[in-house]
Amino acid sequence: MNILFSVFLSALDVFLESAPFMLFGFFMAGLLKAFVPSTIVHEQLGKNRTSNVVKAALFGIPLPLCSCGVIPAAAGLRRQGASKGATASFLISTPETGVDSIMITYALLDPIMTILRPLAAFVTAVATGIGINLFDKDTTPAPAPPLKPFGEIRPPAWKRFLNGQRFAFNDVLGDVGGSFMIGIVIAGVITVFLSPDLVTTYLGMGVLPMLVMVVVAAPLYVCATASTPIVAALALKGISPGAALVFLLAGPATNAASIAMVAKLLGKRSAALYLASIITVAILFGLGADALYRSLGLDPLSWLAQTTEHGHGILNIIAGTVLFILLVHTLITKIRSGHDCRGGCCSHQH
Protein backbone atom coordinates (compact mmCIF):
# COMPACT_ATOMS: atom_id res chain seq x y z
CA MET A 1 0.00 0.00 0.00
CA ASN A 2 2.87 2.39 0.75
CA ILE A 3 4.30 1.78 -2.73
CA LEU A 4 0.94 2.40 -4.39
CA PHE A 5 0.52 5.59 -2.38
CA SER A 6 3.98 6.74 -3.46
CA VAL A 7 3.07 6.13 -7.10
CA PHE A 8 -0.17 8.05 -6.60
CA LEU A 9 1.64 11.02 -5.04
CA SER A 10 4.23 11.08 -7.83
CA ALA A 11 1.53 10.92 -10.49
CA LEU A 12 -0.48 13.62 -8.71
CA ASP A 13 2.59 15.86 -8.64
CA VAL A 14 2.96 15.59 -12.43
CA PHE A 15 -0.78 16.08 -12.96
CA LEU A 16 -0.94 19.28 -10.89
CA GLU A 17 2.20 20.64 -12.52
CA SER A 18 0.74 20.21 -16.00
CA ALA A 19 -2.95 21.06 -15.38
CA PRO A 20 -2.87 24.87 -15.95
CA PHE A 21 -0.90 24.47 -19.17
CA MET A 22 -3.17 21.67 -20.39
CA LEU A 23 -6.26 23.83 -19.91
CA PHE A 24 -4.67 26.75 -21.72
CA GLY A 25 -3.57 24.45 -24.54
CA PHE A 26 -7.11 23.13 -25.02
CA PHE A 27 -8.44 26.70 -24.95
CA MET A 28 -6.05 27.64 -27.78
CA ALA A 29 -7.09 24.50 -29.67
CA GLY A 30 -10.67 25.72 -29.48
CA LEU A 31 -9.66 29.10 -30.92
CA LEU A 32 -7.89 27.40 -33.83
CA LYS A 33 -10.95 25.29 -34.55
CA ALA A 34 -13.24 28.32 -34.40
CA PHE A 35 -11.31 30.85 -36.44
CA VAL A 36 -9.02 28.95 -38.87
CA PRO A 37 -11.18 27.74 -41.78
CA SER A 38 -10.53 24.11 -42.71
CA THR A 39 -10.90 25.03 -46.40
CA ILE A 40 -7.57 26.87 -46.21
CA VAL A 41 -5.81 23.58 -45.48
CA HIS A 42 -7.50 21.76 -48.35
CA GLU A 43 -6.82 24.50 -50.90
CA GLN A 44 -3.10 24.98 -50.22
CA LEU A 45 -1.54 21.52 -50.24
CA GLY A 46 -1.84 20.12 -53.76
CA LYS A 47 0.96 19.45 -56.27
CA ASN A 48 4.52 18.21 -55.68
CA ARG A 49 5.97 21.48 -54.49
CA THR A 50 8.36 22.08 -51.61
CA SER A 51 6.29 25.09 -50.58
CA ASN A 52 3.25 22.85 -50.10
CA VAL A 53 5.26 20.48 -47.91
CA VAL A 54 6.34 23.44 -45.76
CA LYS A 55 2.75 24.71 -45.57
CA ALA A 56 1.53 21.26 -44.49
CA ALA A 57 4.11 21.12 -41.69
CA LEU A 58 3.16 24.61 -40.50
CA PHE A 59 -0.54 23.76 -40.62
CA GLY A 60 0.06 20.61 -38.61
CA ILE A 61 2.20 21.98 -35.77
CA PRO A 62 -0.51 23.80 -33.77
CA LEU A 63 -3.36 21.37 -34.48
CA PRO A 64 -4.37 19.31 -31.43
CA LEU A 65 -4.79 15.94 -33.17
CA CYS A 66 -3.30 12.75 -31.74
CA SER A 67 -1.68 9.96 -33.73
CA CYS A 68 -5.02 8.31 -34.48
CA GLY A 69 -7.04 11.48 -35.00
CA VAL A 70 -4.61 12.74 -37.62
CA ILE A 71 -5.17 9.73 -39.90
CA PRO A 72 -8.71 10.59 -41.01
CA ALA A 73 -7.71 14.26 -41.30
CA ALA A 74 -4.76 13.35 -43.53
CA ALA A 75 -6.91 10.99 -45.57
CA GLY A 76 -9.31 13.86 -46.14
CA LEU A 77 -6.46 16.08 -47.32
CA ARG A 78 -5.29 13.37 -49.66
CA ARG A 79 -8.76 12.92 -51.13
CA GLN A 80 -8.99 16.66 -51.64
CA GLY A 81 -5.81 16.69 -53.73
CA ALA A 82 -2.90 17.10 -51.31
CA SER A 83 0.33 15.61 -52.67
CA LYS A 84 2.01 12.57 -51.08
CA GLY A 85 4.77 14.77 -49.67
CA ALA A 86 2.37 17.32 -48.19
CA THR A 87 0.21 14.56 -46.71
CA ALA A 88 3.24 12.89 -45.09
CA SER A 89 4.44 16.25 -43.78
CA PHE A 90 1.06 16.87 -42.17
CA LEU A 91 1.01 13.31 -40.75
CA ILE A 92 4.31 13.94 -38.94
CA SER A 93 4.06 17.51 -37.67
CA THR A 94 0.49 17.17 -36.39
CA PRO A 95 0.80 14.30 -33.87
CA GLU A 96 4.33 15.26 -32.81
CA THR A 97 3.22 18.69 -31.60
CA GLY A 98 0.11 20.72 -30.86
CA VAL A 99 -0.74 23.67 -28.66
CA ASP A 100 -1.62 21.32 -25.80
CA SER A 101 1.63 19.33 -26.00
CA ILE A 102 3.72 22.50 -26.40
CA MET A 103 2.20 23.91 -23.22
CA ILE A 104 2.73 20.70 -21.24
CA THR A 105 6.34 20.54 -22.52
CA TYR A 106 6.92 23.96 -20.98
CA ALA A 107 5.25 22.84 -17.76
CA LEU A 108 7.06 19.53 -17.27
CA LEU A 109 10.36 19.98 -19.12
CA ASP A 110 12.05 23.32 -19.84
CA PRO A 111 11.98 26.31 -22.23
CA ILE A 112 14.75 24.89 -24.41
CA MET A 113 12.89 21.65 -25.07
CA THR A 114 9.69 23.65 -25.60
CA ILE A 115 11.41 25.31 -28.59
CA LEU A 116 13.34 22.27 -29.82
CA ARG A 117 10.31 19.97 -29.93
CA PRO A 118 8.17 21.86 -32.50
CA LEU A 119 11.29 22.91 -34.41
CA ALA A 120 12.43 19.29 -34.74
CA ALA A 121 8.90 18.22 -35.69
CA PHE A 122 8.81 20.87 -38.43
CA VAL A 123 12.20 19.88 -39.85
CA THR A 124 11.31 16.17 -39.71
CA ALA A 125 8.02 16.80 -41.49
CA VAL A 126 9.57 18.95 -44.22
CA ALA A 127 12.51 16.57 -44.80
CA THR A 128 10.15 13.58 -45.05
CA GLY A 129 7.76 15.36 -47.39
CA ILE A 130 10.53 16.54 -49.72
CA GLY A 131 12.09 13.06 -49.71
CA ILE A 132 8.79 11.46 -50.68
CA ASN A 133 8.21 14.01 -53.43
CA LEU A 134 11.69 13.26 -54.80
CA PHE A 135 11.78 9.46 -54.52
CA ASP A 136 8.11 8.50 -54.70
CA LYS A 137 6.69 11.25 -56.86
CA ASP A 138 2.92 11.56 -56.92
CA THR A 139 1.64 10.97 -60.46
CA THR A 140 -2.06 11.06 -59.55
CA PRO A 141 -3.67 14.30 -60.71
CA ALA A 142 -5.16 16.36 -57.94
CA PRO A 143 -8.96 16.52 -57.99
CA ALA A 144 -10.68 19.85 -58.26
CA PRO A 145 -11.23 21.58 -54.91
CA PRO A 146 -14.73 21.24 -53.47
CA LEU A 147 -17.19 23.95 -54.36
CA LYS A 148 -18.33 26.14 -51.51
CA PRO A 149 -22.10 26.20 -50.99
CA PHE A 150 -23.61 29.25 -52.67
CA GLY A 151 -24.83 31.84 -50.18
CA GLU A 152 -23.28 30.02 -47.21
CA ILE A 153 -23.42 32.20 -44.09
CA ARG A 154 -20.84 31.67 -41.35
CA PRO A 155 -22.10 31.62 -37.78
CA PRO A 156 -21.35 34.71 -35.68
CA ALA A 157 -17.97 34.89 -33.92
CA TRP A 158 -19.39 34.14 -30.46
CA LYS A 159 -21.07 30.98 -31.71
CA ARG A 160 -17.90 29.81 -33.48
CA PHE A 161 -15.99 30.48 -30.26
CA LEU A 162 -18.39 28.35 -28.22
CA ASN A 163 -18.38 25.57 -30.81
CA GLY A 164 -14.59 25.65 -30.88
CA GLN A 165 -14.37 25.34 -27.10
CA ARG A 166 -16.86 22.46 -27.12
CA PHE A 167 -14.69 20.75 -29.71
CA ALA A 168 -11.54 21.30 -27.63
CA PHE A 169 -12.89 20.30 -24.22
CA ASN A 170 -15.11 17.47 -25.46
CA ASP A 171 -13.64 15.94 -28.64
CA VAL A 172 -9.94 16.75 -28.26
CA LEU A 173 -9.84 16.16 -24.52
CA GLY A 174 -11.74 12.93 -25.11
CA ASP A 175 -9.16 11.84 -27.66
CA VAL A 176 -6.05 12.50 -25.57
CA GLY A 177 -7.43 12.32 -22.03
CA GLY A 178 -7.11 8.58 -21.60
CA SER A 179 -3.58 8.47 -22.99
CA PHE A 180 -2.60 11.47 -20.88
CA MET A 181 -3.74 9.79 -17.66
CA ILE A 182 -1.95 6.58 -18.62
CA GLY A 183 1.18 8.66 -19.22
CA ILE A 184 0.76 10.29 -15.81
CA VAL A 185 0.52 6.87 -14.12
CA ILE A 186 3.56 5.56 -16.03
CA ALA A 187 5.48 8.67 -14.92
CA GLY A 188 4.56 7.90 -11.33
CA VAL A 189 5.71 4.29 -11.66
CA ILE A 190 9.01 5.40 -13.24
CA THR A 191 9.58 7.94 -10.46
CA VAL A 192 9.10 5.33 -7.73
CA PHE A 193 10.70 2.22 -9.24
CA LEU A 194 13.38 3.27 -11.75
CA SER A 195 16.84 3.76 -10.32
CA PRO A 196 18.80 6.83 -11.49
CA ASP A 197 21.97 4.71 -11.53
CA LEU A 198 20.32 2.28 -13.95
CA VAL A 199 19.32 5.09 -16.29
CA THR A 200 22.68 6.87 -16.30
CA THR A 201 24.54 3.56 -16.72
CA TYR A 202 22.52 2.15 -19.64
CA LEU A 203 20.67 5.18 -21.02
CA GLY A 204 23.21 7.93 -20.58
CA MET A 205 24.80 9.73 -23.51
CA GLY A 206 25.36 8.95 -27.19
CA VAL A 207 23.47 7.29 -30.02
CA LEU A 208 22.73 3.99 -28.22
CA PRO A 209 20.16 5.39 -25.75
CA MET A 210 18.53 7.24 -28.64
CA LEU A 211 18.19 4.00 -30.57
CA VAL A 212 16.71 2.41 -27.45
CA MET A 213 14.17 5.25 -27.31
CA VAL A 214 13.24 4.56 -30.94
CA VAL A 215 12.74 0.86 -30.23
CA VAL A 216 10.66 1.62 -27.12
CA ALA A 217 8.61 4.38 -28.76
CA ALA A 218 7.91 2.76 -32.14
CA PRO A 219 5.24 0.23 -31.05
CA LEU A 220 3.62 2.52 -28.48
CA TYR A 221 0.23 4.04 -29.22
CA VAL A 222 0.97 7.29 -27.38
CA CYS A 223 0.13 10.87 -28.30
CA ALA A 224 2.41 13.88 -27.91
CA THR A 225 0.67 15.04 -24.74
CA ALA A 226 0.82 11.61 -23.07
CA SER A 227 4.48 11.07 -23.96
CA THR A 228 5.59 14.24 -22.13
CA PRO A 229 5.09 13.12 -18.50
CA ILE A 230 6.82 9.84 -19.33
CA VAL A 231 9.84 11.73 -20.67
CA ALA A 232 9.79 14.10 -17.69
CA ALA A 233 10.01 11.16 -15.29
CA LEU A 234 12.86 9.61 -17.29
CA ALA A 235 14.68 12.96 -17.44
CA LEU A 236 14.55 13.34 -13.67
CA LYS A 237 16.18 9.90 -13.46
CA GLY A 238 19.05 10.94 -15.73
CA ILE A 239 18.07 10.45 -19.38
CA SER A 240 19.74 12.98 -21.68
CA PRO A 241 17.76 15.72 -23.45
CA GLY A 242 18.73 14.16 -26.79
CA ALA A 243 17.26 10.77 -25.90
CA ALA A 244 14.20 12.52 -24.47
CA LEU A 245 13.69 14.45 -27.71
CA VAL A 246 13.98 11.25 -29.75
CA PHE A 247 11.20 9.66 -27.70
CA LEU A 248 9.02 12.78 -28.03
CA LEU A 249 9.44 12.76 -31.82
CA ALA A 250 9.30 9.04 -32.52
CA GLY A 251 6.53 8.02 -30.12
CA PRO A 252 3.54 9.91 -31.57
CA ALA A 253 4.48 9.43 -35.25
CA THR A 254 5.80 5.87 -35.56
CA ASN A 255 3.32 3.58 -33.84
CA ALA A 256 2.34 0.42 -35.71
CA ALA A 257 -1.15 1.65 -36.57
CA SER A 258 0.16 4.89 -38.07
CA ILE A 259 2.74 3.12 -40.24
CA ALA A 260 0.11 0.70 -41.55
CA MET A 261 -2.19 3.58 -42.42
CA VAL A 262 0.63 5.52 -44.12
CA ALA A 263 1.37 2.46 -46.27
CA LYS A 264 -2.28 2.20 -47.23
CA LEU A 265 -2.68 5.93 -47.86
CA LEU A 266 0.61 6.74 -49.61
CA GLY A 267 2.12 3.38 -50.60
CA LYS A 268 4.83 1.10 -49.19
CA ARG A 269 7.76 3.10 -50.58
CA SER A 270 6.47 6.30 -48.99
CA ALA A 271 5.89 4.44 -45.71
CA ALA A 272 9.51 3.25 -45.71
CA LEU A 273 10.76 6.77 -46.45
CA TYR A 274 8.44 8.10 -43.76
CA LEU A 275 9.81 5.79 -41.06
CA ALA A 276 13.47 6.18 -42.07
CA SER A 277 13.23 9.98 -42.17
CA ILE A 278 11.62 10.22 -38.73
CA ILE A 279 14.27 8.01 -37.12
CA THR A 280 17.20 9.71 -38.87
CA VAL A 281 16.14 13.30 -38.19
CA ALA A 282 15.12 12.48 -34.61
CA ILE A 283 18.57 11.05 -33.82
CA LEU A 284 20.34 13.99 -35.51
CA PHE A 285 18.27 16.42 -33.47
CA GLY A 286 18.93 14.34 -30.36
CA LEU A 287 22.69 14.62 -30.84
CA GLY A 288 22.29 18.33 -31.50
CA ALA A 289 20.20 18.75 -28.34
CA ASP A 290 22.86 17.13 -26.15
CA ALA A 291 25.51 19.38 -27.72
CA LEU A 292 23.32 22.47 -27.18
CA TYR A 293 22.77 21.73 -23.51
CA ARG A 294 26.50 21.18 -23.00
CA SER A 295 27.30 24.46 -24.77
CA LEU A 296 24.91 26.26 -22.39
CA GLY A 297 26.72 24.82 -19.39
CA LEU A 298 23.93 22.37 -18.49
CA ASP A 299 24.75 18.80 -17.57
CA PRO A 300 22.90 16.61 -20.12
CA LEU A 301 22.40 13.95 -17.44
CA SER A 302 20.73 16.29 -14.93
CA TRP A 303 19.32 18.96 -17.23
CA LEU A 304 15.75 18.86 -15.96
CA ALA A 305 16.72 18.97 -12.29
CA GLN A 306 18.68 22.16 -13.00
CA THR A 307 15.90 23.95 -14.82
CA THR A 308 12.66 22.84 -13.15
CA GLU A 309 11.12 24.38 -10.05
CA HIS A 310 8.70 22.37 -7.94
CA GLY A 311 5.81 23.44 -5.78
CA HIS A 312 2.09 23.77 -6.44
CA GLY A 313 0.09 26.87 -5.64
CA ILE A 314 -3.62 27.49 -5.56
CA LEU A 315 -3.68 27.91 -9.37
CA ASN A 316 -2.34 24.38 -9.87
CA ILE A 317 -4.88 22.94 -7.44
CA ILE A 318 -7.82 24.76 -9.04
CA ALA A 319 -6.66 23.86 -12.57
CA GLY A 320 -6.09 20.25 -11.53
CA THR A 321 -9.58 20.04 -10.07
CA VAL A 322 -11.15 21.53 -13.21
CA LEU A 323 -9.14 19.25 -15.49
CA PHE A 324 -10.05 16.17 -13.45
CA ILE A 325 -13.76 17.05 -13.61
CA LEU A 326 -13.51 17.55 -17.38
CA LEU A 327 -11.72 14.21 -17.78
CA VAL A 328 -14.38 12.41 -15.76
CA HIS A 329 -17.10 14.15 -17.79
CA THR A 330 -15.57 13.07 -21.12
CA LEU A 331 -15.19 9.50 -19.81
CA ILE A 332 -18.84 9.34 -18.76
CA THR A 333 -19.89 10.84 -22.10
CA LYS A 334 -17.91 8.19 -23.99
CA ILE A 335 -19.38 5.38 -21.93
CA ARG A 336 -22.90 6.66 -22.50
CA SER A 337 -22.41 7.20 -26.22
CA GLY A 338 -20.90 3.74 -26.62
CA HIS A 339 -17.85 4.90 -28.58
CA ASP A 340 -15.14 2.31 -28.99
CA CYS A 341 -11.94 3.92 -27.66
CA ARG A 342 -8.45 2.46 -27.60
CA GLY A 343 -5.35 3.99 -26.02
CA GLY A 344 -7.24 7.21 -25.31
CA CYS A 345 -8.14 7.79 -28.99
CA CYS A 346 -11.68 7.40 -30.20
CA SER A 347 -12.59 5.63 -33.36
CA HIS A 348 -14.94 8.41 -34.36
CA GLN A 349 -13.61 10.99 -36.78
CA HIS A 350 -13.67 14.75 -36.57
Side-chain angles (χ1 to χ4, degrees):
M1 290 299 295
N2 288 336
I3 293 177
L4 290 177
F5 188 65
S6 297
V7 171
F8 170 76
L9 289 180
S10 298
L12 180 63
D13 183 68
V14 177
F15 181 80
L16 292 176
E17 185 71 28
S18 59
F21 298 91
M22 285 283 287
L23 292 176
F24 182 74
F26 286 121
F27 173 76
M28 293 301 297
L31 292 183
L32 285 171
K33 175 68 174 179
F35 299 109
V36 178
S38 58
T39 53
I40 291 179
V41 180
H42 292 288
E43 293 169 356
Q44 296 294 321
L45 305 183
K47 299 182 181 179
N48 296 305
R49 294 176 180 171
T50 300
S51 61
N52 293 332
V53 171
V54 174
K55 288 177 187 176
L58 291 173
F59 279 135
I61 285 176
L63 295 181
L65 291 175
C66 61
S67 53
C68 60
V70 71
I71 293 295
L77 292 180
R78 180 70 178 147
R79 285 195 298 268
Q80 295 294 338
S83 67
K84 282 187 176 182
T87 304
S89 180
F90 182 82
L91 274 167
I92 291 172
S93 68
T94 305
E96 285 188 347
T97 59
V99 287
D100 52 340
S101 62
I102 290 172
M103 295 306 298
I104 196 175
T105 302
Y106 181 80
L108 297 183
L109 300 178
D110 68 357
I112 300 174
M113 192 62 70
T114 304
I115 296 172
L116 282 178
R117 186 178 190 177
L119 176 62
F122 173 76
V123 173
T124 305
V126 171
T128 303
I130 292 175
I132 287 176
N133 278 348
L134 287 175
F135 299 107
D136 193 20
K137 189 175 290 291
D138 194 359
T139 57
T140 304
L147 296 175
K148 298 179 182 178
F150 179 75
E152 179 183 24
I153 300 175
R154 298 186 69 191
W158 66 268
K159 195 166 187 177
R160 280 181 281 149
F161 172 80
L162 291 179
N163 289 336
Q165 294 307 310
R166 289 191 192 99
F167 167 78
F169 286 100
N170 287 327
D171 294 31
V172 179
L173 183 59
D175 280 347
V176 306
S179 294
F180 173 66
M181 292 308 297
I182 291 172
I184 291 289
V185 173
I186 293 175
V189 171
I190 290 172
T191 301
V192 173
F193 289 102
L194 192 61
S195 165
D197 294 335
L198 181 67
V199 174
T200 54
T201 300
Y202 297 101
L203 295 176
M205 301 292 298
V207 176
L208 180 59
M210 297 179 192
L211 292 174
V212 172
M213 288 296 101
V214 170
V215 173
V216 171
L220 292 181
Y221 205 78
V222 60
C223 65
T225 302
S227 65
T228 311
I230 298 173
V231 165
L234 289 171
L236 288 172
K237 295 295 184 177
I239 195 173
S240 75
L245 184 58
V246 169
F247 186 90
L248 291 173
L249 294 173
T254 62
N255 64 74
S258 293
I259 297 300
M261 289 304 299
V262 170
K264 183 177 180 180
L265 194 62
L266 305 179
K268 293 181 180 179
R269 178 180 293 185
S270 288
L273 290 168
Y274 175 93
L275 184 59
S277 297
I278 291 173
I279 294 173
T280 301
V281 178
I283 290 176
L284 290 175
F285 260 91
L287 293 172
D290 284 348
L292 175 62
Y293 276 80
R294 282 195 298 266
S295 70
L296 295 174
L298 299 171
D299 182 359
L301 296 182
S302 58
W303 57 286
L304 191 57
Q306 296 172 352
T307 56
T308 303
E309 296 180 1
H310 295 281
H312 306 302
I314 187 66
L315 175 62
N316 297 85
I317 295 173
I318 293 174
T321 303
V322 171
L323 182 58
F324 178 76
I325 292 171
L326 290 170
L327 286 167
V328 171
H329 171 72
T330 58
L331 177 61
I332 293 173
T333 302
K334 280 188 175 185
I335 293 173
R336 286 180 176 176
S337 61
H339 285 164
D340 179 22
C341 298
R342 182 179 62 182
C345 294
C346 284
S347 59
H348 67 280
Q349 299 178 6
H350 307 301

